[in-house]
């Protein structure tokens, strides 16, 4: 029986170079796919976390607003003034969030995504 021949010829450096370059690019593509899969998993897990956190904060805020409204109504002796004062407090909070919207809602998530996609997480330096 004839032994199997090596697919690469021993005296073909150009062919070896081509195969090495092809293998290198295949490995780089696999690395990019793995990094992308890891980062997408992080993004989706954070989105789910923040969605659940948003729901819980909404329920809590609703209960606190109802309690505050009832307490202010009892203090002022008017069932109408309690909800109006509570609405005023929330209106002030909305104005504050609107004024600082870039800091709270744009820049912070942007920095988080930049760190997630461009830092290796160990030493804060880019890969």
């Amino acid at each position: 029986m004839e032994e199997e021949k090596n697919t690469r010829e021993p005296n073909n450096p150009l062919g070896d170079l081509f195969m090495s370059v092809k293998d290198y690019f295949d490995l780089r593509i696999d690395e990019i796919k793995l990094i992308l899969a890891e980062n997408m998993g992080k993004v989706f897990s954070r989105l789910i976390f923040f969605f659940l956190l948003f729901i819980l904060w909404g329920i809590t805020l609703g209960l606190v607003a109802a309690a505050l409204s009832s307490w202010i109504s009892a203090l002022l002796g008017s069932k109408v003034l309690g909800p109006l004062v509570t609405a005023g407090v929330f209106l002030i909070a909305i104005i504050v969030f609107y004024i600082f919207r870039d800091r709270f809602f744009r820049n912070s998530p942007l920095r988080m995504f930049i760190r997630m996609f461009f830092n290796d997480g160990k030493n804060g330096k880019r890969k």
Side-chain angles (χ1 to χ4, degrees):
M1 285 193 163
E2 189 177 315
E3 293 182 18
E4 292 183 22
K5 292 184 178 179
N6 191 356
T7 58
R8 295 182 186 178
E9 294 181 20
N11 293 330
N12 189 358
L14 191 60
D16 289 342
L17 178 64
F18 176 73
M19 290 301 291
S20 295
V21 169
K22 182 183 177 294
D23 290 342
Y24 172 77
F25 281 118
D26 287 342
L27 288 173
R28 290 294 292 169
I29 289 171
D30 288 343
E31 180 186 20
I32 290 169
K33 287 179 185 178
L34 287 172
I35 290 170
L36 184 63
E38 177 187 12
N39 288 328
M40 292 304 291
K42 287 179 185 178
V43 167
F44 285 123
S45 69
R46 287 185 183 193
L47 285 174
I48 290 170
F49 171 76
F50 285 122
F51 178 72
L52 293 175
L53 188 67
F54 178 75
I55 289 173
L56 291 174
W57 269 107
I59 291 169
T60 303
L61 192 59
L63 292 172
V64 168
L68 181 65
S69 178
S70 297
W71 182 65
I72 293 173
S73 293
L75 283 178
L76 298 176
S78 173
K79 291 184 179 184
V80 176
L81 288 178
L84 286 176
V85 171
T86 305
V89 169
F90 281 110
L91 186 61
I92 290 170
I94 289 170
I95 291 170
V96 168
F97 279 129
Y98 181 76
I99 291 171
F100 295 109
R101 71 186 177 275
D102 289 338
R103 185 176 197 184
F104 291 132
F105 299 111
R106 288 186 191 156
N107 295 340
S108 295
L110 179 62
R111 280 193 302 270
M112 178 187 70
F113 284 119
I114 287 173
R115 273 195 318 266
M116 191 178 352
F117 281 102
F118 293 106
N119 290 349
D120 62 3
K122 294 177 185 170
N123 57 9
K125 294 182 182 176
R126 188 172 179 181
K127 286 184 178 180

